[in-house]
Amino acid sequence: MIKVGVVGATGYTGSELLRLLVCHPCVSVEVVTSENYVGREISSVFPSLGGFLSLSCVKLDVEETAASCDLVFVALPHTESARVVSSLAAKGKRVIDFSADFRLRDSAVYEQWYGVKHSSPELLGKAVYGLPELHRSDIAEASIVANPGCYPTGAILALAPVIKEGWMDTESIIIDSKSGVSGAGRKLNLLFHFAECNESVKAYSIAGHRHIPEIEQEISRLAGDTVKVVFTPHLIPMTRGILSTIYVSIDGGHTGADVVETYREFYKDEPFVRVRNEGEVPSTLDTRGSNFCDIGVTVDQRTDKLIIVSSIDNLGKGASWQAVQNMNIVCGFKESDGINVPALFP
Amino acid sequence: MIKVGVVGATGYTGSELLRLLVCHPCVSVEVVTSENYVGREISSVFPSLGGFLSLSCVKLDVEETAASCDLVFVALPHTESARVVSSLAAKGKRVIDFSADFRLRDSAVYEQWYGVKHSSPELLGKAVYGLPELHRSDIAEASIVANPGCYPTGAILALAPVIKEGWMDTESIIIDSKSGVSGAGRKLNLLFHFAECNESVKAYSIAGHRHIPEIEQEISRLAGDTVKVVFTPHLIPMTRGILSTIYVSIDGGHTGADVVETYREFYKDEPFVRVRNEGEVPSTLDTRGSNFCDIGVTVDQRTDKLIIVSSIDNLGKGASWQAVQNMNIVCGFKESDGINVPALFP
Amino acid sequence: MIKVGVVGATGYTGSELLRLLVCHPCVSVEVVTSENYVGREISSVFPSLGGFLSLSCVKLDVEETAASCDLVFVALPHTESARVVSSLAAKGKRVIDFSADFRLRDSAVYEQWYGVKHSSPELLGKAVYGLPELHRSDIAEASIVANPGCYPTGAILALAPVIKEGWMDTESIIIDSKSGVSGAGRKLNLLFHFAECNESVKAYSIAGHRHIPEIEQEISRLAGDTVKVVFTPHLIPMTRGILSTIYVSIDGGHTGADVVETYREFYKDEPFVRVRNEGEVPSTLDTRGSNFCDIGVTVDQRTDKLIIVSSIDNLGKGASWQAVQNMNIVCGFKESDGINVPALFP
Amino acid sequence: MIKVGVVGATGYTGSELLRLLVCHPCVSVEVVTSENYVGREISSVFPSLGGFLSLSCVKLDVEETAASCDLVFVALPHTESARVVSSLAAKGKRVIDFSADFRLRDSAVYEQWYGVKHSSPELLGKAVYGLPELHRSDIAEASIVANPGCYPTGAILALAPVIKEGWMDTESIIIDSKSGVSGAGRKLNLLFHFAECNESVKAYSIAGHRHIPEIEQEISRLAGDTVKVVFTPHLIPMTRGILSTIYVSIDGGHTGADVVETYREFYKDEPFVRVRNEGEVPSTLDTRGSNFCDIGVTVDQRTDKLIIVSSIDNLGKGASWQAVQNMNIVCGFKESDGINVPALFP
């Protein structure tokens, strides 16, 4: 039984995390912090938690949080997060960080995309990118786990098995992602006002989304070479889920069956990645409210394109569930503890 | 560890039940039957179950089901269900029935509302109406548990605490319910075609819905007198959830605080009913994907009306989760085993 | 051809109004005012208007608006509206006001429900409640038309035909309304944040909504006596539409067919009210994007209740389309000019 | 005033067409045919049409339809359509066909993608592909207008302005489209059952959708060379709208401003195509319930990709509204008659 804290508990990743932690067999939640709800019972902020957790939101005090917790989840905006994480790490606490602050290894890339200097560049080398399928053993040793972004999780898992294959063209990658609106968080904005995004699809941050360098870092690492991607996120009128449709050019002669085999081999020991049969395509409803990433592949022989479709829950494998998976690895719990649940269908 | 079967596993109550059973600590699913998917892997019918259950759907064979299971959930249309349930019961199996066949104690009432003769009227006295908050001890002994209808669950729980109070008028009850579309099941019908029910609200079965006698039976029992209700169900463009807004005339002088107290006292030992503070109103999102029934009450002193709002998930407390709660009681498991999870918010 | 202005053009009632006015055969839009978008092209605020209107939003200047317009639509928050409307009226302009400021004839009632003193009580007697089906001839003469609230429009039209019948009980009226989220306007609020209201139904302002006195005023006038109503609004995960389900106690012996006849007779000359056949129930999709109010009635003979269901578009007959209908009457245009269009189905 | 008939009036393209035709200044609807609703008033099938059209659905009789109409819209499944269209054309009637039967000029391509022999290959040369922006003058003379598919309309309009530019690579085209569910029509299928597609995104017909040859035919014609495309359609939980995100490789050195200019020049005389400013991206809500196609372009200078986003209403410019535009051209009416309306926002 470990004691954990959640810093920034009143956003969607925070509430989803609490939902998991209150049911986790090895965890006790000791501290929940908030900016906007200080002094309020967490179950009054989120009535769905009524009966599960009797804690009031407190203003963040790093000292106190460190004193009462073994491990801390930090769900703050970038730059703010870096300061808190580095303080907590300095006190010997293990931290799982939801922000982008420790995902990019190269502070110059961080500064280019985020437009600010990194406050703790010396820690970048120590933090581990928390995608267990790629970095499980490093995560187990990490003091800071940088929990991946939602889009990168779905995109990297979809690309990893082929990225090293000689028969694909690493300059041809196009990632077209469709996300539910909860991915945008709980901050008010006309873009996420019900009547403005209901019954509407829209692309945003075309060619400029901050998840691009994160995707490129990870697949470049796999490829052993610098890889660039085209990435377009879209906002979809639903609450949860990311479907990524990914296009890569391949040599002729490959079949869907081949590629399914390549993917199954790559993920054969992974409990949370499911490769679908040839001809089957995942939908976001298959993974909603779960830690799964479902992947389907199709070969377009007319055009020599491989089309990969991956489905995750942006708050699930794309955020809070993956954070719990990381905690399980960090703490030596069973990796699937508290997250081995089928999606909420329908 | 008991062995269970699910008869009629490929509808929404069936799939939701399987979702719970595969994670339940004391249960092993041995048989899943289907009409339309015989021979297909259940995880190919419901990809969300991939990795959790390796069973193929079989055509229902009562003998075989009885031979391999200790307890059977039956999720078949009414009349069909009665035949299967009575056969299973005759073989000494304990049965939890999702249909309406064993909910009404009086076969004449059944025949009036369902328009068919009941095939096993002799069993009606033995079956127990599976609402644990009202009939827990009877359920523990029952061989047949009639799992309640979705609308009745939300309505009866909302009315039970006041129905015996001398200060309410039992002739004044109006129940206006709003349900997600999954309540209509998986059978194709233009009414539930996406483009016809999206962005639309509609009332249906006004003054004639078959859940009326079920509500009346239970609240009449509580009142010790025959009580009639007006009930109007509505179809809402969402997948899960029932919000029931209930109007009853009361004597003057009562306050919201009083009534909250009455409700809290009534439900003080119930793990799955949450009475909200005065002035708070439940929404369906607070109970989605859970076994909770949340209740809020308001007194309109201008008109001497008590307005009760209850929220459940029609597939949760309104169907499959309550069925698991009933199984837990029947089998002597901890009542909250496998269902003690907060709602999926957002 | 008249010149019109829209004060408060960048909310949803404003944009819907502009959508109609740019297609109206007898109208030229001369001024659009806004608080938040001063200096911006209206078609940049609402790209859907691109190609239809080349005007920039200006800050409201009553003098200039009066100078350039024959008639002004005012879509401002209450109290703000009263000041602007009275200034415009003082300059001899005809005004159609979307706010509640001139809907209630009795300033004491206004002050009780809105919690502020009315700034121009002397005008209350001159303003006309803009429900053409009840006040057509007065509207034609009015200098100030108080465009009705969305809920009152659907509720009053549903109740008007029976309110004077001796066989109904005017103390028994319960109005349960379900509204799309656009009714809440464009102002940011966590309640209307996509992820919070999607897949959720919730009641709000139970027993205290400000549309209550408006409904009571109009049906009391029809009844010739003071009538109170119970009214509960609900928020539904859709953009447009209000379905009101209304319950009234009636004497025994009435049939659905009778009541349909009563309604058809009452509305026989009305172009925008459609009474459905017995057994048919309107849905909000039948009236979305139109000026229609559809009404269906059912008699519950078990309980002697009449259940009336009405459907409108909250931005249609419930706001901007009715405002254009009022303008047509005020200006002597054909009453259906610019609004005689079937609903957008599906 | 011409007399028109609608063959296959009770699907979504049929109902949308009727909605437009009953308001069109130069048209009288004389015949509506249906398979499933013979004998029923069209306004009972679509209550939204109540008060606009008093016609009963009849079984299709080509003779009678030809006798009573000047022009016929045919909205039947492919192959069925070919037979009806050729009969009507043989009788000298002008026909606007919604099916795919006359869209492809080459019957071999038709047979390859549709898996059936074309019944009237001799007419393929006479039919005109009804995209006014490309074929206006031919449409004016056509006896058979093949109304374009919904996906092709959005994709071709998005690609037309650049397809001939020397600086783009015609072998690099990837079209990723997101469609509302009404595009799938009114035929029942579990895929379009509310609870299965709500809150879900899914790709379908990957690398095999029948709109591929239609897109390729038209852009090959423009390019003066054979062009292939990769096309992936997706089903989105909304009713109307198609957003197509299109990726093409371009030479370095081009800017967004350049490309906007190229597009504006190309469409400078088109009333229904709106090219957005640099940096602005259309959403489907901007075109819902209208005949507009909105286009936004972005240049990704990191990867030398041009990303084009187009938005249409699949039942609007993608079907029935475009059909009316074609009728206007064929009949010599003003091209915007009856369809010059802003989108329904929100």
Side-chain angles (χ1 to χ4, degrees), chain B residues 176 178 195 199-202 216 228 230 232 234 236 238-239 245 247 283-285 300 302-303 305 346, chain C residues 176 178 195 199-202 207 216 228 230 232 234 236 238-239 245 247 283-285 302-303 305 346:
Chain B
D176 188 288
K178 297 90 180 163
E199 294 298 293
S200 191
V201 182
K202 102 173 17 159
E216 290 181 346
K228 283 185 187 169
V230 178
T232 311
H234 299 76
I236 300 294
M238 63 181 188
T239 299
T245 310
Y247 302 86
S283 88
T284 58
L285 209 45
D300 182 357
R302 293 173 67 249
T303 59
K305 286 281 178 184
Chain C
D176 188 288
K178 297 89 181 162
E199 294 299 292
S200 192
V201 182
K202 106 173 11 160
E216 290 182 347
K228 283 184 187 168
V230 179
T232 311
H234 298 76
I236 300 295
M238 63 180 187
T239 298
T245 311
Y247 302 87
S283 88
T284 59
L285 209 45
R302 293 174 67 249
T303 59
K305 287 280 179 187

Side-chain angles (χ1 to χ4, degrees), chain A residues 168-190:
Chain A
M168 78 155 273
D169 173 3
T170 56
E171 295 191 6
S172 67
I173 301 170
I174 289 172
I175 302 166
D176 188 288
S177 295
K178 296 91 180 161
S179 177
V181 182
S182 66
R186 224 178 166 213
K187 208 170 155 194
L188 297 180
N189 186 316
L190 198 50

